[in-house]
Amino acid sequence: MSEARTPLVGIVMGSDSDFKVMVKAAEIFDVFEVPYEMLVASAHRTPDLALGYAEKAKENGLRAIIAGAGAAAHLPGVLAAKTTLPVIGVPLNATALQGTDALYAICQMPSGIPVATMAIDGSKNAALFAIQILATADVALAERFAAYKRDMAQAVATKNKIVQEKLKHYKEVNHD
Ligand code: RP5
């Protein structure tokens, strides 16, 4: 369904090995019925493709870009350098440094070129953050996001009930 409408968000990743994490962003967009596109473009291996994509992103109808990369993760910053759209960076756990290399590379952007940096492998939050950006100009999407948060709160209430039951049982077994 998402592919049928003009994509509003681009999900870019440095390699096909990033797909298993970045697809979690796509899953969120499917739930919220936000059209997206996905592609591999490497800041190092295909710099012209990455720069060209960022340069055309706005006129192609995108409102935000999510960029996931591991290792010396320059992709989100390189995209941000070439577009005025908000760029959301996802540091990926792809090397012996377990994503801390990518985290530092993505969050330490020079003044003037911000990248909103998510947690290591935080592609789900990247999608939710993009939805929050889109929702500032889309009342129906804002309501879907509010409902999502209400559902989460309900799930926490259920977890609390379970913990209270477990505590009761623990006290009965251990102290009575
Ligand atoms: C980064 O290097 C990619 O984003 C990926 O996380 C990592 C490893 O890439 P491959 O060697 O698996 O292609 O540029």
Side-chain angles (χ1 to χ4, degrees):
M1 187 198 310
S2 312
E3 285 73 21
R5 294 185 287 148
T6 305
L8 294 177
V9 183
I11 305 173
V12 189
M13 63 202 82
S15 174
D16 63 330
S17 58
D18 301 327
F19 177 80
K20 58 187 179 303
V21 174
M22 296 310 292
V23 73
K24 290 176 193 155
E27 285 166 9
I28 290 290
F29 290 134
D30 284 335
V31 168
F32 282 88
E33 299 184 359
V34 169
Y36 60 88
E37 63 186 12
M38 184 181 269
L39 81 153
V40 173
S42 166
H44 305 115
R45 294 165 177 159
T46 58
D48 293 340
L49 175 67
L51 289 169
Y53 181 79
E55 200 166 25
K56 294 269 178 217
K58 195 172 182 183
E59 68 183 77
N60 286 341
L62 296 184
R63 306 264 184 77
I65 296 174
I66 293 174
H74 294 114
L75 180 62
V78 161
L79 297 176
K82 271 287 190 184
T83 183
T84 56
L85 293 175
V87 175
I88 306 163
V90 184
L92 299 174
N93 176 2
T95 74
L97 295 180
Q98 298 179 314
T100 53
D101 42 1
L103 174 64
Y104 287 158
I106 293 173
C107 75
Q108 290 289 34
M109 286 295 293
S111 175
I113 311 290
V115 167
T117 308
M118 300 293 111
I120 295 169
D121 288 346
S123 51
K124 180 177 171 180
N125 267 3
L128 292 170
F129 194 66
I131 284 165
Q132 287 180 287
I133 291 169
L134 297 173
T136 60
D138 184 333
V139 176
L141 185 58
E143 178 43 41
R144 289 206 291 283
F145 186 72
Y148 177 83
K149 291 192 80 169
R150 284 196 294 274
D151 288 349
M152 259 194 312
Q154 187 53 51
V156 170
T158 304
K159 287 172 203 280
N160 185 45
K161 253 187 186 168
I162 292 166
V163 164
Q164 298 310 320
E165 287 298 320
K166 283 182 173 172
L167 182 63
K168 197 174 151 212
H169 177 70
Y170 166 81
K171 283 182 173 171
E172 282 166 5
V173 170
N174 292 286
H175 300 292
D176 291 342

